[in-house]
Structure formats: C-alpha cells, structure tokens
C-alpha cells in the first residue's frame, strides 16, 4: 500500500469507515426493498415482528417499499453526517433503531434461529445468521451516535465537518 494512502487512512476519524460502510449497506438494501424478490424475503420478518406491525396494512410489497424508503433516508442522513453533525445524529439514531428492530427479530421468529438437528449454538443461515450480524451493525450505529453527540457538543457551527485528529 502506498505510504500516502496509509497516511490518509491514519488521519481519518475511526468512525469514517463505519459511516461509509453503513451508507453503502442502507443504500443497497433500501434499493432491493423495491423489488418483489426482497418483498418476499422480508415478508416473514415483517409478519412476525411486533415493531413492524404498523406496516402490515400496506401489504408485503408496500411494507417492503416503506422500509426501503426509510433505509434510503437513513443512508442519506448518514452520508450528510460527513459534513453535518445534526444529520449525523439523525442518521445514526435511525440506524440504531433499525438494528434494534432487526436484532429483536431473533426473538420473535416462530421457527427460531437455531438449526434444529444441532440446536444451540448452531444457527440457521437464514434468518439466524443473517440477523445475528446486525449486532455488529448496531454497535457501529451506537458508535456513530456517540461521535455525533460529541460533534454537536464541541463544534459551534451548524455545518460541522468531521473533527480533524491532532497531528
């Protein structure tokens, strides 16, 4: 790796890569929610989550598109968080809420998450393993909430670029 790239990476705030990764995740998953294959895939998750019950009257296609819209908005706010602490906080809060809901699905799915023949700790690949990785995304979201709160507390202007690490 070229020394200039290493130097650039060393100067980035730790949360910059987390923010960029979450933006990509929300944009890609939000986009997918607009297609039938994804609506079919999330139907059992929506159907069994008490937190997503509000979306059921929209039907599975409408619920999937509503989730996609929320995911696009979350991704956009996270992206704006590179330059605005307020957007950073809003995006990180939505991201945290998203992953709290998805992690809660580990406990609300009727079929369970454990591979029946083997039991705990053998996960079913879908949905168990798929949802379990959201624990890391939840932690990343909480790190971004913390970073945004620090930026709001320490930076006086309304548009707050990333703090520059000390040289």
């Amino acid at each position: 790796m070229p020394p200039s790239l290493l130097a650039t990476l060393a100067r980035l705030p730790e949360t910059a890569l987390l923010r960029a990764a979450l933006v990509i995740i929300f944009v890609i998953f939000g986009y997918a929610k607009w297609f039938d294959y994804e609506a079919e895939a999330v139907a059992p998750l929506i159907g069994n989550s008490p937190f997503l019950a509000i979306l059921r009257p929209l039907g599975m296609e409408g619920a999937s598109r509503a989730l996609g819209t929320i995911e696009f908005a979350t991704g956009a706010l996270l992206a704006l968080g590179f330059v605005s602490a307020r957007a950073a906080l809003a995006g990180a809060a939505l991201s945290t809420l998203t992953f709290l809901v998805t992690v809660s699905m580990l406990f609300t799915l009727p079929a369970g998450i454990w591979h029946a023949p083997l039991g705990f700790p053998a996960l079913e690949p879908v949905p168990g393993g798929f949802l379990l990785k959201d624990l890391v995304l939840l932690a990343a979201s909480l790190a971004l909430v913390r970073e945004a709160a620090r930026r709001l507390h320490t930076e006086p202007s309304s548009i707050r670029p990333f703090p520059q690490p000390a040289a």
Side-chain angles (χ1 to χ4, degrees):
M1 196 175 292
S4 61
L5 179 59
L6 287 175
T8 301
L9 288 173
R11 286 191 304 270
L12 283 175
E14 290 81 5
T15 54
L17 296 176
L18 294 176
R19 178 176 309 284
L22 284 169
V23 167
I24 292 166
I25 288 169
F26 277 106
V27 169
I28 289 173
F29 277 86
Y31 176 76
K33 296 287 188 302
W34 286 82
F35 297 97
D36 291 341
Y37 79 94
E38 183 69 8
E40 291 169 14
V42 298
L45 302 176
I46 294 170
N48 290 295
S49 171
F51 301 108
L52 297 178
I54 192 168
L55 298 176
R56 290 183 199 137
L58 300 175
M60 283 308 128
E61 185 177 297
S64 182
R65 288 181 177 178
L67 287 174
T69 301
I70 292 166
E71 290 173 349
F72 276 139
T74 302
L77 286 167
L78 286 168
L80 287 171
F82 281 110
V83 295
S84 167
R86 288 187 177 123
L89 183 60
L94 281 172
S95 182
T96 299
L97 182 61
T98 296
F99 295 116
L100 282 171
V101 169
T102 59
V103 167
S104 77
M105 291 177 189
L106 290 168
F107 308 102
T108 61
L109 292 171
I113 61 169
W114 309 115
H115 185 63
L118 299 175
F120 177 83
L123 286 169
E124 288 288 348
V126 177
F130 176 75
L131 293 174
L132 191 63
K133 58 113 175 86
D134 286 356
L135 285 172
V136 173
L137 297 173
L138 175 60
S141 300
L142 290 168
L144 292 181
V145 167
R146 182 177 178 208
E147 183 257 349
R150 282 183 181 162
R151 286 170 59 196
L152 281 170
H153 181 70
T154 60
E155 298 168 17
S157 67
S158 62
I159 298 292
R160 298 172 172 90
F162 265 115
Q164 297 302 312

